[in-house]
Amino acid sequence: MDSPVQRTSAIAPAPKKPPARPRSKAVASSDANAATAEATPTRRPRGRPRKTAEELDDGNRRRKLMDGAAKLFRTQGFAATSTRDIAAAAGMHSGSPFYHFESKSALLYAVMSEGMTMATQSQQQALDALPAQATPREQLRTLIRHHFEILLGPRSSFIPVMLYEWRSLTPAQRKGIARIKDSYEATWMPVLEALAQQGALQAEPGVARLFIFGALNWAVQWFSPKKGKSLDALTDEALALFIRS
C-alpha cells in the first residue's frame, strides 16, 4: 500500500507580524508638532507690504511727470503741450507718460484732482495746528495764508491749471474735480458764518466766499515775489478787505 499522503493547504498561512514597538515620547511629540504646524495657517505680516525700490521709483517718476505737466499746462496751455514735451520735462523717453497715464487728458485730470486733494488735506492740517481758542478772524487768516501758499508757493501750478483748463476736462472729470473743490471751500463756511454773526463780515457768507476766492485766485496773474511783498503781508492786506477791523 502506498503511504498516506499528507494534505497541505493551497495557500500558506501568512506569517504573523511582529508586535509594534512602542514609539518614544520624543518622536510622538515631534510628529504632533509637525501636524499642528501644517494645520495652522501661516500668518501674514500686518500692515501694507513695503514698497520695492522699483515701485518707489515708479512713484517718483509719476510725480515728476505730474509736476512737469502742471508747469507746462500753466505756461503753454493744455492744447499746445505734447506728451513729448512732458516726457522731456521729466527727463524721460517720449512714450514714458503712457506707462503711468492712459492719455494726456488723464494726466490733466490727475494734476488737478491730486493737487486739490493735497490742498484739502494741508488746509485741514493748518486749521488743526491753531489753538482751540482761536478766533474766527484768526481762522480766516490761516485759511487765506494757506490758500496763498498753494496758489503762489513752490508747487502752485495745479490751481491755475484748474482755473484756466477747466474746459479741457470731460464732463465726468469736471464732476470729480468739483466734488473735491466743494469740499475744500466748504471748510471756509463755518468761519465766514461766525464772522457774519459778529458783524465783522462785509457780505453774506455764501456771497463773501465767492468774492474771496475770486480775489485770491486772481493773484496768480499779478503777484511777483520779486517785488518784495511777502505772503504774510499779502494775507494781512487781503484780510483787511474782507472783514471789518
Side-chain angles (χ1 to χ4, degrees), residues 199-221:
L201 196 62
Q202 303 278 31
E204 183 271 327
V207 176
R209 177 181 61 85
L210 297 174
F211 275 123
I212 289 171
F213 278 105
L216 298 184
N217 290 342
W218 190 248
V220 300
Q221 292 289 339

Side-chain angles (χ1 to χ4, degrees), residues 217-244:
N217 290 342
W218 190 248
V220 300
Q221 292 289 339
W222 55 264
F223 177 77
S224 173
K226 296 179 180 179
K227 294 182 179 180
K229 191 176 293 294
S230 68
L231 294 186
D232 287 326
L234 199 64
T235 298
D236 290 333
E237 292 185 8
L239 191 63
L241 289 175
F242 305 137
I243 62 174
R244 299 182 180 92

Side-chain angles (χ1 to χ4, degrees), residues 11-30:
I11 300 177
K16 294 183 178 180
K17 292 183 178 179
R21 297 176 61 186
R23 303 175 72 188
S24 67
K25 292 183 178 180
V27 173
S29 175
S30 176

Side-chain angles (χ1 to χ4, degrees), residues 13-241:
K16 294 183 178 180
K17 292 183 178 179
R21 297 176 61 186
R23 303 175 72 188
S24 67
K25 292 183 178 180
V27 173
S29 175
S30 176
D31 290 347
N33 291 338
T36 302
E38 291 179 0
T40 303
T42 304
R43 292 185 179 181
R44 299 181 63 184
R46 293 182 179 180
R48 295 181 180 179
R50 292 183 179 179
K51 290 187 176 182
T52 63
E54 184 176 355
E55 289 173 331
L56 290 171
D57 189 48
D58 280 346
N60 292 334
R61 290 180 180 180
R62 188 176 189 276
R63 174 51 57 191
K64 284 183 179 180
L65 282 171
M66 290 181 60
D67 289 345
K71 292 176 182 177
L72 290 171
F73 292 157
R74 178 179 180 176
T75 56
Q76 298 181 185
F78 174 75
T81 301
S82 67
T83 53
R84 187 182 296 274
D85 294 334
I86 297 168
M92 300 179 187
H93 297 296
S94 58
S96 295
F98 296 111
Y99 175 78
H100 299 275
F101 303 95
E102 62 182 13
S103 64
K104 191 173 74 165
S105 177
L107 177 53
L108 174 65
Y109 177 74
V111 166
M112 295 185 190
S113 63
E114 294 192 23
M116 278 306 305
T117 297
M118 288 189 296
T120 301
Q121 293 170 349
S122 60
Q123 175 177 256
Q124 189 58 52
Q125 291 170 356
L127 287 175
D128 291 343
L130 287 173
Q133 64 274 18
T135 65
R137 179 187 177 91
E138 291 169 337
Q139 293 174 30
L140 182 59
R141 188 188 189 285
T142 296
L143 289 171
I144 293 173
R145 178 62 176 80
H146 171 268
H147 195 67
F148 275 141
E149 184 66 32
I150 63 170
L151 275 174
L152 308 169
R155 296 182 62 182
S156 58
S157 294
F158 74 92
I159 284 190
V161 170
M162 185 179 70
L163 294 174
Y164 305 127
E165 296 296 344
W166 183 258
R167 291 177 296 177
S168 300
L169 296 172
T170 66
Q173 289 173 336
R174 290 176 193 171
K175 289 181 180 179
I177 299 299
R179 283 193 294 269
I180 307 172
K181 185 175 73 69
D182 290 346
S183 175
Y184 178 86
E185 295 184 6
T187 303
W188 293 56
M189 288 305 296
V191 178
L192 296 176
E193 289 168 354
L195 287 166
Q197 290 177 358
Q198 294 176 355
L201 196 62
Q202 303 278 31
E204 183 271 327
V207 176
R209 177 181 61 85
L210 297 174
F211 275 123
I212 289 171
F213 278 105
L216 298 184
N217 290 342
W218 190 248
V220 300
Q221 292 289 339
W222 55 264
F223 177 77
S224 173
K226 296 179 180 179
K227 294 182 179 180
K229 191 176 293 294
S230 68
L231 294 186
D232 287 326
L234 199 64
T235 298
D236 290 333
E237 292 185 8
L239 191 63
L241 289 175

